[in-house]
Amino acid sequence: MAIESDFTPYIRRWALAEDGEPILTRTSRLLPVRWNGEPAMLKIATVPEEMRGAGLLIWWNGIGAARVIEHDDDAILLERATGNRSLAAMAEHGRDDEASVVLCRAVAELHKPRAAPPSNLVPLSDWFRALHAAPQGGIFVRCAEAARMLLADPRDVVPLHGDIHHANILDFAERGWLAIDPKGLRGERGFDYANLFCNPDHPVATARGRLARQVDVVAHAAQLERGRLLRWILAWAGLSAVWLIEDGETEHIAPTLRVAEIAAAEIDKG
């Protein structure tokens, strides 16, 4: 099988033992392995976004994120999450506030000042070109307006994970909650909290009163201005919907736009 042969050079080079079935995603190939008897994950990036993310993981050096054990070209060997706790399960079973606080603490670790960040991080404004270029109408107008306002006057600019949600902060047992799968961006730190409000799933994200409550929880835990956070949620939900339209993932478009509408209504209340 071709995917298995891709792993072979790294298995030999780093003396790895296979420990599970290969996983193929849209952006990478993964293989659970053992390294010196310890659980690890071998990941081979197949798109530039994942390669940038690997560089960010290396730069984070295991602080707030999974530790990179080895790296070479498009491949990295990561420590593997072995804890049995799930932030998605917490959010879905009455512990949504607690899950949000955990996520905020994890993001804060990633945003701590460090010297010499990677030079190839993508400006956040580049991502939002898709929203500005999309046909404008309805809630998309509000989303694009919010994005323009935020990007014109960025605050607290840092290297960004770019895809923080309940399945990208994992339980690493004694190491705690750590991030995986960054996208490698640079921009205002508040952006990294916006995707929490589209997750962990559509029923939770769009439940009556959920967004308003979690905005308060996250704004307090992350020390963010509530109104600005709402505008990041509005902008992000619009961009997400544009990408969903482009990818033909029609079943996810309406719930994502509903998040945007809820955020807009909260802004109007304020």
Side-chain angles (χ1 to χ4, degrees), residues 14 16 33 35 40-42 67-70 76-79:
W14 296 330
L16 308 176
V33 296
W35 174 80
M41 184 69 74
L42 176 57
R67 180 171 60 94
V68 177
I69 301 166
E70 297 280 1
I76 55 173
L77 181 66
L78 300 163
E79 63 177 319

Side-chain angles (χ1 to χ4, degrees), residues 1-266:
M1 184 176 178
I3 186 173
E4 292 178 344
S5 65
D6 292 343
F7 297 122
T8 301
Y10 304 104
I11 290 172
R12 291 173 177 167
R13 186 178 310 166
W14 296 330
L16 308 176
E18 295 185 41
D19 195 37
E21 293 298 315
I23 304 163
L24 177 63
T25 74
R26 184 176 55 85
T27 60
S28 59
R29 299 181 176 92
L30 302 102
L31 182 69
V33 296
R34 291 270 169 178
W35 174 80
N36 289 342
E38 297 296 323
M41 184 69 74
L42 176 57
K43 181 176 183 178
I44 301 175
T46 58
V47 297
E49 181 178 271
E50 289 296 322
M51 298 171 196
R52 287 194 307 272
L56 199 51
L57 283 172
I58 294 165
W59 180 69
W60 279 327
N61 196 28
I63 300 173
R67 180 171 60 94
V68 177
I69 301 166
E70 297 280 1
H71 61 92
D72 181 56
D73 296 328
D74 300 337
I76 55 173
L77 181 66
L78 300 163
E79 63 177 319
R80 186 173 6 135
T82 57
N84 57 16
R85 295 175 297 174
S86 161
L87 292 175
M90 289 166 61
E92 292 163 0
H93 296 93
R95 299 168 65 191
D96 201 7
D97 291 6
E98 183 181 349
S100 291
V101 171
V102 169
L103 285 156
C104 288
R105 288 173 179 166
V107 174
E109 286 294 308
L110 300 179
H111 290 173
K112 283 183 175 178
R114 297 170 172 84
S119 60
N120 65 341
L121 300 178
V122 170
L124 188 54
S125 56
D126 285 10
W127 266 20
F128 277 95
R129 287 175 184 166
L131 175 60
H132 300 317
Q136 295 297 308
I139 191 64
F140 284 110
V141 175
R142 292 285 303 272
C143 298
E145 288 174 350
R148 287 191 189 93
M149 184 273 284
L150 294 163
L151 294 169
D153 181 29
R155 304 175 185 175
D156 300 327
V157 173
V158 297
L160 296 168
H161 181 285
D163 193 23
I164 294 289
H165 57 74
H166 297 66
N168 271 347
I169 303 294
L170 301 181
D171 179 10
F172 280 74
E174 68 276 3
R175 288 256 290 137
W177 296 98
L178 302 174
I180 61 168
D181 201 22
K183 302 308 175 190
L185 304 177
R186 184 172 180 82
E188 182 172 327
R189 72 179 184 93
F191 170 81
D192 256 349
Y193 298 88
N195 196 26
L196 307 186
F197 298 87
C198 294
N199 283 278
D201 58 28
H202 298 320
V204 171
T206 59
R208 182 182 296 273
R210 191 264 180 169
L211 187 145
R213 177 176 177 82
Q214 293 311 308
V215 163
D216 289 339
V217 171
V218 171
H220 177 73
Q223 300 181 40
L224 294 168
E225 180 186 319
R226 186 180 192 272
R228 198 167 180 90
L229 175 58
L230 282 166
R231 284 174 173 80
W232 275 120
I233 298 165
L234 176 59
W236 168 246
L239 178 60
S240 297
V242 168
W243 285 341
L244 291 168
I245 292 168
E246 291 175 351
D247 293 341
E249 298 184 32
T250 54
E251 71 275 18
H252 300 301
I253 296 168
T256 302
L257 290 177
R258 180 60 187 146
V259 171
E261 291 165 352
I262 297 169
E266 284 296 312

